Amino acid sequence: MYFKKIAFTTLFGLLALVLFTNCSENNLAAKTLHKNKDTIKKAVDTVTAYPPINHAQYDSLMRKLAHGDTGGKWPVKNTPYPLPGAILPYKRVVAFYGNLYAKKMGILGELPPKEMLAKLKGEVKNWEQADPTTPVQPALHYIAVVASGDGGRDGKYRNRMPFKQIDSVLHLAKKINAIVFLDVQVALSDIRTELPLLEKYLAMPQVHFGIDPEFSMKDGVTHPGKKIGTYDAADVNYVSGYLADIVKKYHLPPKILIVHRFTKHMLTNYQDIKLRKEVQIVMDMDGWGEPSLKTGTYHYFIHNEPVQFTGFKLFYKNDIKKPPHHMLTPAEVLKYKPYPIYIQYQ
């Protein structure tokens, strides 16, 4: 069973529009941060004082998420309580994933904006009906750095989306009070280069982050799409540490960090991932296929290797490629242990 996402191949013709490699990454980050300091300040000023975390309530919600798991893995032990203003586990996040340039990369870019937002609101209602006890937070999950089949000027096989496109996603999200995730596919680049370039957006309280090991080509040679890439716990710890510093610097509520996964090798040394009060980590089961295959993947690579929170991805098209298979319903997803608290539609 072919069990990979198809992403980078849909953006081959966009290099002229999106590459910023004529400027060094560090200079680009410095210039954009300086230029947008007023935007950052305005966003940060909107953060209100949140009440302290009620530990008893938080513990109760985490036990609820465990969904009666008897293996001793869930809820994850010795996790820090988050800073005030945390989204998880108080709300379930339901996100639409994709890129505004490419209809084939996900529902976010496939439909006209008005139609897309209406469909997302419909999915939110479906989840509210399936689990009335858990409020739903809508989200737009935008691929801000896209693995490519073309090496580009610097030979890194990734395209950085123009900031105006990210601004467009923020504008759309505001229409339905959605949060935003910026997702990065580093290809032959690396997360330490790509993440700082997005700090001006991550300084906003409504913007969160995602990393995709599938397109992290550690050998620096293999082109993305030729094999499934990988991240180590050290990479995740770098990202969560960077996000934690942003939270402290701008006095923000916790950031959510999504880590995509559908194979064992996509994340090595998971047990060494460091949990922080400033960041909430979601391991997102990101594979497509028939229901039994998705169930097994969730069990072996998400349930059996616990980090903190779990997510589940649903594909409008790829999950139904082999009739009579179907895309799982909210009620079916809610049979899993632990309950996924982040749901992504592509």
Side-chain angles (χ1 to χ4, degrees):
M1 169 57 65
Y2 179 68
F3 199 57
K4 279 183 87 272
K5 297 171 292 161
I6 301 298
F8 69 98
T9 54
T10 61
L11 290 185
F12 286 179
L14 299 174
L15 285 171
L17 294 173
V18 301
L19 285 177
F20 294 100
T21 52
N22 58 322
C23 179
S24 74
E25 287 86 351
N26 290 336
N27 287 339
L28 177 60
K31 289 179 180 179
T32 55
L33 278 171
H34 177 75
K35 181 178 178 181
N36 292 279
K37 62 182 181 180
D38 291 337
T39 302
I40 294 173
K41 183 178 184 303
K42 183 178 179 181
V44 172
D45 286 345
T46 64
V47 180
T48 58
Y50 294 97
I53 295 295
N54 182 316
H55 291 188
Q57 180 193 27
Y58 183 88
D59 291 342
S60 176
L61 289 173
M62 293 300 284
R63 288 192 296 270
K64 174 188 172 184
L65 278 185
H67 193 189
D69 181 69
T70 59
K73 296 179 181 293
W74 301 92
V76 177
K77 298 177 177 62
N78 301 318
T79 61
Y81 292 106
L83 291 176
I87 294 175
L88 310 178
Y90 305 98
K91 296 180 179 180
R92 174 171 284 109
V93 177
V94 173
F96 271 13
Y97 172 95
N99 182 282
L100 295 180
Y101 279 135
K103 293 184 177 182
K104 293 184 179 181
M105 289 185 67
I107 192 67
L108 174 56
E110 181 178 352
L111 299 177
K114 186 175 181 180
E115 186 179 345
M116 181 270 295
L117 293 177
K119 188 174 182 68
L120 175 54
K121 290 169 70 173
E123 296 293 5
V124 166
K125 289 182 179 179
N126 291 338
W127 281 95
E128 289 173 338
Q129 293 172 358
D131 181 10
T133 65
T134 305
V136 177
Q137 171 63 60
L140 299 181
H141 195 122
Y142 184 66
I143 314 170
V145 180
V146 184
S148 172
D150 189 307
R153 293 180 182 178
D154 62 359
K156 297 300 183 181
Y157 287 84
R158 54 87 181 90
N159 296 332
R160 298 176 184 141
M161 297 298 102
F163 288 155
K164 66 180 181 179
Q165 289 291 346
I166 299 176
D167 294 339
S168 296
V169 174
L170 290 170
H171 178 72
L172 291 173
K174 188 175 181 180
K175 292 177 179 290
I176 59 170
N177 296 316
I179 61 175
V180 171
F181 290 86
L182 299 181
D183 206 270
V184 171
Q185 302 172 352
V186 298
L188 272 65
S189 181
D190 60 82
I191 196 62
R192 287 163 177 79
T193 298
E194 303 300 329
L195 172 54
L197 302 181
L198 297 170
E199 181 169 332
K200 73 162 187 167
Y201 291 108
L202 293 167
M204 301 177 184
Q206 78 276 29
V207 178
H208 303 266
F209 198 62
I211 57 176
D212 197 340
E214 179 180 359
F215 300 105
S216 171
M217 316 315 293
K218 286 282 191 174
D219 62 11
V221 177
T222 305
H223 298 175
K226 299 297 183 181
K227 69 175 183 179
I228 298 173
T230 184
Y231 274 130
D232 186 73
D235 300 301
V236 178
N237 289 341
Y238 164 77
V239 174
S240 68
Y242 193 99
L243 294 177
D245 287 343
I246 289 177
V247 167
K248 288 181 282 190
K249 180 179 179 180
Y250 298 104
H251 308 288
L252 302 175
K255 294 293 182 184
I256 300 175
L257 170 59
I258 306 297
V259 182
H260 303 283
R261 189 180 191 190
F262 57 86
T263 71
K264 187 175 183 63
H265 183 64
M266 282 176 73
L267 179 66
T268 54
N269 301 309
Y270 80 93
Q271 68 278 2
D272 295 331
I273 291 176
K274 182 178 180 179
L275 301 182
R276 312 171 194 269
K277 62 183 179 180
E278 300 90 358
V279 180
Q280 301 188 289
I281 299 179
V282 176
M283 300 305 302
D284 180 38
M285 200 298 289
D286 195 16
W288 59 265
E290 62 267 27
S292 62
L293 186 56
K294 294 173 77 83
T295 298
T297 302
Y298 185 83
H299 178 76
Y300 288 111
F301 307 129
I302 306 298
H303 170 276
N304 281 3
E305 298 194 354
V307 176
Q308 189 174 23
F309 296 97
T310 73
F312 201 91
K313 190 165 186 176
L314 297 165
F315 293 77
Y316 283 113
K317 295 179 179 178
N318 287 355
D319 281 350
I320 61 173
K321 278 193 170 184
K322 287 186 64 177
H325 301 312
H326 66 284
M327 187 180 76
L328 294 168
T329 66
E332 289 174 312
V333 174
L334 289 172
K335 294 179 181 179
Y336 294 128
K337 297 182 181 182
Y339 288 125
I341 198 66
Y342 170 86
I343 306 297
Q344 184 181 99
Y345 287 88
Q346 179 168 338

